């Protein structure tokens, strides 16, 4: 069964510094990959997704992620973070043959300090 | 804009009570979902519905049931609430496979406390 690992439960970073949030998934079969963001007391909002094509995906709010099939990874990056990026970030994966079902990682809390 | 609306943001219920969580989406999506979110565990799928009156169990269906009588509405039912069901519940919807890259749209969540 598919699984998603987000190794870092919390990532503290100073404002304007770069950040990388790591995500690895278990299966090498064809997959769709997603990053969602959850601001305090809100639901989840899609940041970006990889379906096919270019392995570098750009999303909203200056975030991007790179799909690496050989390493089964989909790490999220931002070159310069803002205080407003403080939130919880979830990586998710679905198999192409059962793509209605998303498997989520446990989440990474990004804490941006002034 | 896709809108998924959960009727109650915060609920407090007693052990043994029957609890209904309601969700409505306004985008004519075929698929609807109920997830449970707990710290350190991410989101876990409780139930999924791909059409009116159709449902499938997710990863943690025990203690829950669902109802989908109309396309836009998906209800989660706790037949007899227990304290270990204290959690954040998220409803979501998506169009049928392939029509929008399989993006799932979430509501704002319902915080349920069972005392």
């Amino acid at each position: 069964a598919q699984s998603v690992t987000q190794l870092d439960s919390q990532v503290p970073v100073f404002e304007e510094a770069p950040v990388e949030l790591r995500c690895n998934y278990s299966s090498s079969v064809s997959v769709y990959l997603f990053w969602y963001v959850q601001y305090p007391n809100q639901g989840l909002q899609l940041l970006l997704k990889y379906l096919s094509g270019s392995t570098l995906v750009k999303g909203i709010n200056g975030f991007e992620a790179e799909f690496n099939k050989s390493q089964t990874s989909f790490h999220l990056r931002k070159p310069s973070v803002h205080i407003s990026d403080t939130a919880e970030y979830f990586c998710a994966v679905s198999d192409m043959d059962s793509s209605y079902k998303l498997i989520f990682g446990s989440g990474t809390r990004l804490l941006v300090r002034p | 804009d896709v809108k998924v609306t959960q009727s109650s943001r915060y609920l407090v219920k007693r052990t043994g009570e029957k609890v209904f969580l309601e969700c409505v989406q306004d985008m004519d999506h075929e698929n609807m979902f109920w997830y449970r979110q707990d710290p350190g565990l991410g989101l876990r799928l409780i139930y999924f519905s791909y059409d009116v009156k159709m449902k499938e169990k997710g990863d943690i269906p025990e203690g829950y049931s669902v109802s989908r009588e109309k396309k836009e509405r998906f209800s989660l039912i706790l037949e007899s609430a227990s304290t270990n069901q204290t959690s954040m519940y998220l409803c979501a919807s998506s169009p049928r496979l392939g029509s929008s890259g399989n993006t799932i749209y979430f509501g704002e969540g319902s915080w349920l406390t069972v005392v």
Side-chain angles (χ1 to χ4, degrees):
Chain A
Q2 189 66 260
S3 67
V4 178
T5 302
Q6 292 181 249
L7 283 172
D8 305 305
S9 59
Q10 182 164 301
V11 173
V13 63
F14 288 107
E15 195 174 19
E16 298 183 5
V19 70
E20 178 179 85
L21 305 184
R22 296 179 293 168
C23 173
N24 288 87
Y25 61 97
S26 61
S27 174
S28 60
V29 298
S30 297
V31 295
Y32 299 126
L33 294 156
F34 304 80
W35 276 99
Y36 281 84
V37 60
Q38 185 178 36
Y39 298 105
N41 298 317
Q42 294 187 25
L44 276 69
Q45 177 184 354
L46 181 69
L47 263 183
L48 50 80
K49 61 186 177 186
Y50 171 80
L51 305 180
S52 64
S54 173
T55 57
L56 183 63
V57 180
K58 294 191 184 295
I60 62 171
N61 301 339
F63 284 93
E64 63 181 33
E66 185 153 20
F67 169 53
N68 187 320
K69 188 174 182 178
S70 62
Q71 296 186 4
T72 60
S73 69
F74 191 54
H75 301 329
L76 181 71
R77 301 185 184 102
K78 186 169 182 178
S80 175
V81 294
H82 302 290
I83 297 285
S84 59
D85 293 323
T86 293
E88 186 137 24
Y89 292 79
F90 292 93
C91 181
V93 62
S94 66
D95 290 337
M96 285 186 184
D97 59 354
S98 60
S99 55
Y100 67 87
K101 187 175 178 180
L102 277 185
I103 306 298
F104 284 86
S106 56
T108 297
R109 182 167 299 279
L110 177 63
L111 181 59
V112 182
R113 296 168 174 163
Chain B
D1 263 5
V2 177
K3 187 78 172 172
V4 179
T5 304
Q6 296 183 229
S7 57
S8 303
R9 290 298 311 276
Y10 303 95
L11 305 94
V12 179
K13 298 292 181 181
R14 295 193 182 279
T15 300
E17 274 193 78
K18 190 168 186 175
V19 181
F20 293 86
L21 300 179
E22 307 286 346
C23 174
V24 176
Q25 51 95 1
D26 66 357
M27 288 303 294
D28 202 35
H29 285 169
E30 286 78 12
N31 300 329
M32 295 191 75
F33 310 81
W34 275 105
Y35 285 88
R36 171 176 171 161
Q37 182 181 5
D38 298 288
L41 296 178
L43 279 73
R44 293 177 291 168
L45 182 64
I46 305 172
Y47 265 98
F48 159 66
S49 169
Y50 53 92
D51 205 345
V52 174
K53 296 189 187 295
M54 307 303 288
K55 62 185 179 184
E56 281 190 17
K57 292 181 180 179
D59 299 316
I60 51 163
E62 296 78 19
Y64 304 94
S65 62
V66 290
S67 172
R68 192 162 181 206
E69 297 296 319
K70 294 185 178 181
K71 189 175 185 180
E72 67 272 18
R73 187 179 296 272
F74 192 35
S75 303
L76 180 69
I77 304 155
L78 286 68
E79 295 290 342
S80 177
S82 63
T83 54
N84 62 13
Q85 292 178 309
T86 291
S87 187
M88 161 86 123
Y89 291 87
L90 287 161
C91 177
S93 72
S94 74
R96 195 174 300 285
L97 179 65
S99 57
S100 91
N102 309 294
T103 300
I104 293 181
Y105 300 88
F106 286 85
E108 292 200 330
S110 298
W111 285 97
L112 172 66
T113 301
V114 182
V115 298

